Amino acid sequence: MLLHFTKMHGLGNDFMVIDLITQRARLRDEQVRQLADRRFGVGFDQLLVVEPPRDPDMDFRYRIFNADGSEVENCGNGARCFARFVLDQRLTHKREIRVETAGGPLTLKVNDDDQVTVDMGAPRFSPATLPFDATEDRPLHALEVDGETYEIGAVSMGNPHAVLRVRSVDSAPVERLGPAIEAHPRFPRRVNVGFMQVVSPHEIHLRVFERGSGETLACGTGACAAVASGIRQGLLQSPVTVHLRGGDLRIEWPGEEAPLMMTGPAERVFEGRIALA
Ligand SMILES: N[C@@H](CCC[C@H](N)C(=O)O)C(=O)O
């Protein structure tokens, strides 16, 4: 059976997007991993699946799978691509779209300049929400990795994030510390790891080693988590421009229970058909 797909990206964080409203398919973990392979498959950081909503108040259900086949709760860059996809494919004519995700409902707005603004909900800092094995909810937690202690912010954006402040993203030990923190036993469901360089209260550089996908050129939920953690620590003030390797995101957060708003681009690259093995 041939499955129609669209290849998209948000700041170089790339996606295979499949419409399972007009097509039928059931993907096994190993098929996701094969499709994600950049040599033997289509190649992507995440697979995004568009389905009909289960809740009648929502417009769509949107499921997210990492390149390693694991299903996850949330994806910020994916949410923007999702919004462009359902409009471009004429699955909706709405420019403000409500979607169900495994991490909770999201509201997406396609702006007149075609940038997409996503209401990402409020960040959660309580260790149990990630989950993270810690007794207290604090702005920074000491985490021991390979005999050294690092101070990390722990933030849930529906999905779990550890944020580590570094002097420079260029010299940050992303390849060494990323996988070690991702699989740290204090994060029983693993974690996305952000390396944040503060430039000014309104500007940071960020690299993210993503759970289940490795380092990506950009991570939307990672950008939100870094800004929330930076504001909570008194290092940043809303709005914040986040410079990622693939480009910039604008993040706004008034604080407390208010939602984080993320604005950035979403691009279609090509379309194709593939036979499922
Ligand atoms: N690229 C994403 C996040 C995708 C999911 C993440 N790897 C996880 O496992 O939670 C983004 O833009 O937010």
Side-chain angles (χ1 to χ4, degrees):
M1 167 209 166
L2 282 180
L3 194 64
H4 184 263
F5 68 90
T6 301
K7 183 75 194 293
M8 301 189 76
H9 78 91
L11 302 177
N13 177 190
D14 66 341
F15 308 105
M16 176 178 182
V17 191
I18 301 176
D19 159 13
L20 289 190
I21 293 179
T22 63
Q23 308 180 97
R24 273 176 187 271
R26 186 180 280 265
L27 290 163
R28 297 186 308 275
D29 293 5
E30 67 267 23
Q31 286 175 311
V32 175
R33 287 195 287 274
Q34 206 205 338
L35 291 169
D37 191 294
R38 295 194 182 278
R39 292 184 181 83
F40 294 101
V42 176
F44 53 79
D45 296 322
Q46 275 89 33
L47 168 71
L48 311 180
V49 177
V50 182
E51 295 184 359
R54 292 184 294 190
D55 174 347
D57 291 337
M58 296 285 154
D59 297 308
F60 296 97
R61 178 174 183 219
Y62 147 60
R63 297 175 70 193
I64 308 140
F65 297 84
N66 280 326
D68 71 357
S70 56
E71 183 165 4
V72 294
E73 308 86 347
N74 201 0
C75 176
N77 292 324
R80 298 196 314 278
C81 289
F82 172 91
R84 285 294 304 271
F85 177 84
V86 292
L87 265 180
D88 291 352
Q89 298 296 121
R90 299 182 202 279
L91 294 170
T92 186
H93 59 271
K94 294 184 184 175
R95 294 183 80 88
E96 192 162 318
I97 303 157
R98 296 264 296 150
V99 292
E100 283 171 29
T101 70
L106 292 180
T107 305
L108 325 167
K109 189 165 171 273
V110 182
N111 304 320
D112 292 341
D113 60 359
D114 279 349
Q115 292 250 323
V116 182
T117 300
V118 184
D119 173 340
M120 300 287 287
R124 302 275 170 233
F125 301 106
S126 128
T129 55
L130 279 86
F132 174 49
D133 179 10
T135 45
E136 278 176 69
D137 170 358
R138 306 153 54 100
L140 287 172
H141 300 267
L143 185 75
E144 221 182 279
V145 184
D146 297 335
E148 286 192 54
T149 304
Y150 298 91
E151 295 281 302
I152 56 139
V155 186
S156 170
M157 289 305 310
N159 59 347
H161 291 267
V163 182
L164 181 64
R165 189 175 174 195
V166 295
R167 263 180 215 287
S168 154
V169 284
D170 294 330
S171 59
V174 178
E175 295 79 10
R176 181 173 63 82
L177 277 187
I181 298 178
E182 180 202 13
H184 196 285
R186 288 179 66 193
F187 292 100
R189 286 194 212 141
R190 301 188 289 159
V191 71
N192 300 286
V193 189
F195 296 81
M196 168 175 74
Q197 174 188 343
V198 176
V199 178
S200 78
H202 296 287
E203 194 181 359
I204 61 171
H205 288 282
L206 183 73
R207 285 171 69 185
V208 181
F209 187 92
E210 287 198 26
R211 173 179 69 165
S213 300
E215 185 179 5
T216 55
L217 291 180
C219 176
T221 49
C224 294
V227 169
S229 178
I231 289 178
R232 192 180 188 212
Q233 291 175 56
L235 302 169
L236 302 176
Q237 287 163 19
S238 179
V240 178
T241 300
V242 181
H243 303 293
L244 298 132
R245 296 242 146 147
D248 294 354
L249 285 174
R250 178 185 160 95
I251 310 291
E252 292 165 77
W253 185 47
E256 303 291 335
E257 290 303 304
L260 269 144
M261 304 302 286
M262 174 193 63
T263 302
E267 307 289 342
R268 209 185 85 191
V269 187
F270 64 88
E271 301 199 4
R273 284 173 200 277
I274 191 161
L276 285 184

